[in-house]
Amino acid sequence: MGAQRTKGVSFNVVGTIGENTEDRLNWSLSLNGRHQKQNYRNIGSSLELLNDELKSTSLTRYRDGGSPTDIWAVRSAGIDPMTGKEIYIKKDGSYTFDYDINDEMVVGNTEPLLEGVFGTNLYYKGFSFSAYFRYRIDADYFNTELYNRIENLKTTEMTSYNQDKRALYDRWQQPGDQAQYKKITETVSDNETAPMTSRYVQKENTLSGESISLAYEFGEQKWLKKVFLKNMTIRANMNDIFRCSTIKAERGTSYPFARTVSFSVNMTF
């Protein structure tokens, strides 16, 4: 049905900061990263029927020159302070209150400008410490939390379940309000869905603690021989211990993630 081309660059840098055999010292730093772009080719109009089906349910389109990581939606100028309605931007740049799916265009890309891992590894007289952090820079993200739980809130759900407080306090309520979400009277009913627009696309910059480890190797010490040990190492590990991001999004509802802390003792007899 066509082709997909991926172009990019990746790098991996490792450097030794300090090294001393007598003091059993070794300290190194590492950094790797990746930048890439993808696009479709030679598709023509063969997938337009599929694109039409995706317009109401998905942000993905299959078109020549497009990318599998593109976000397709109608552009939004925000909420009109006087009426509480969303202002849509047409392809010619004019404003309208009438949503038209034919005005959709690429409004973002989930592929980051740069992503990778950096870290350090230190060993000194039996002590060892390592830490690795994952980063994502300048990626676009369609925040489904805002779309599903706040803007696309069903009228029957408003009184039946607990809701995100932003569904009420961040909505337009009276003329002159500079609000992020449409007025409550325009909350969608059970048989309709609010349109997907660029208003839910946010810029993502993320730093996470992927792996942190601290250990001590006792080596050949006299007290070890008294308990019939040749060597013993104690170690503490932390995985995914923190995550800092420029956006707030729900994580782990369907496939829960875990912040893991573990301890271990290795003994050699």
Side-chain angles (χ1 to χ4, degrees):
M1 303 299 291
Q4 177 179 313
R5 171 181 287 179
T6 301
K7 291 183 177 181
V9 59
S10 62
F11 63 88
N12 185 39
V13 181
V14 179
T16 299
I17 303 300
E19 187 172 15
N20 189 312
T21 304
E22 294 181 358
D23 292 336
R24 293 187 296 164
L25 169 66
N26 188 289
W27 184 20
S28 63
L29 300 176
S30 62
L31 170 67
N32 66 57
R34 182 190 72 171
H35 167 75
Q36 69 177 22
K37 290 185 176 181
Q38 307 172 70
N39 60 71
Y40 294 126
R41 308 169 62 209
N42 304 324
I43 294 179
S45 58
S46 58
L47 294 179
E48 281 308 304
L49 287 177
L50 176 58
N51 288 329
D52 290 339
E53 294 177 3
L54 293 173
K55 284 181 179 180
S56 60
T57 59
S58 173
L59 302 167
T60 301
R61 304 291 182 270
Y62 300 95
R63 297 189 174 111
D64 287 334
S67 170
T69 54
D70 279 340
I71 300 175
W72 287 80
V74 174
R75 291 178 295 169
S76 173
I79 304 302
D80 178 30
M82 297 306 298
T83 64
K85 296 181 178 181
E86 183 168 11
I87 303 173
Y88 306 106
I89 304 176
K90 300 185 70 65
K91 283 186 176 180
D92 62 6
S94 61
Y95 298 122
T96 179
F97 288 127
D98 298 320
Y99 177 82
D100 186 351
I101 191 61
N102 294 316
D103 291 324
E104 69 173 7
M105 59 190 305
V106 177
V107 296
N109 194 299
T110 60
E111 186 73 43
L113 177 66
L114 187 65
E115 66 177 341
V117 175
F118 67 91
T120 183
N121 200 326
L122 172 65
Y123 182 87
Y124 180 67
K125 292 185 177 180
F127 285 98
S128 61
F129 171 77
S130 64
Y132 294 94
F133 307 92
R134 182 169 296 276
Y135 65 90
R136 283 171 59 87
I137 300 175
D138 198 29
D140 293 312
Y141 178 80
F142 186 88
N143 198 327
T144 54
E145 170 82 358
L146 302 181
Y147 177 72
N148 291 324
R149 299 296 181 86
I150 300 178
E151 196 68 279
N152 206 30
L153 182 64
K154 305 297 184 183
T155 53
T156 55
E157 294 175 341
M158 295 184 66
T159 56
S160 302
Y161 305 100
N162 289 330
Q163 303 298 335
D164 190 312
K165 64 181 181 180
R166 292 173 295 181
L168 174 63
Y169 297 113
D170 291 350
R171 285 186 181 275
W172 185 95
Q173 299 185 43
Q174 60 186 4
D177 284 349
Q178 300 288 334
Q180 188 175 357
Y181 308 107
K182 292 185 290 187
K183 57 184 179 181
I184 294 178
T185 54
E186 289 206 351
T187 302
V188 296
S189 61
D190 292 336
N191 59 355
E192 63 179 339
T193 303
M196 298 178 182
T197 69
S198 63
R199 190 156 51 93
Y200 313 102
V201 177
Q202 298 178 322
K203 189 64 66 177
E204 179 187 14
N205 294 289
T206 301
L207 175 67
S208 59
E210 188 161 273
S211 175
I212 300 175
S213 175
L214 178 64
Y216 180 71
E217 181 182 358
F218 288 92
E220 297 181 359
Q221 298 187 14
K222 293 182 179 181
W223 70 271
L224 288 176
K225 295 180 180 180
K226 294 181 180 180
V227 294
F228 308 103
L229 292 176
K230 293 182 179 179
N231 199 347
M232 184 172 73
T233 302
I234 57 175
R235 183 181 302 275
N237 292 299
M238 295 182 290
N239 296 317
D240 297 324
I241 197 63
F242 73 87
R243 185 177 187 271
C244 302
S245 179
T246 55
I247 63 175
K248 292 183 178 180
E250 189 174 84
R251 301 174 64 224
T253 301
S254 300
Y255 301 95
F257 69 96
R259 294 186 174 96
T260 305
V261 178
S262 62
F263 301 90
S264 64
V265 179
N266 297 323
M267 294 179 288
T268 302
F269 293 92

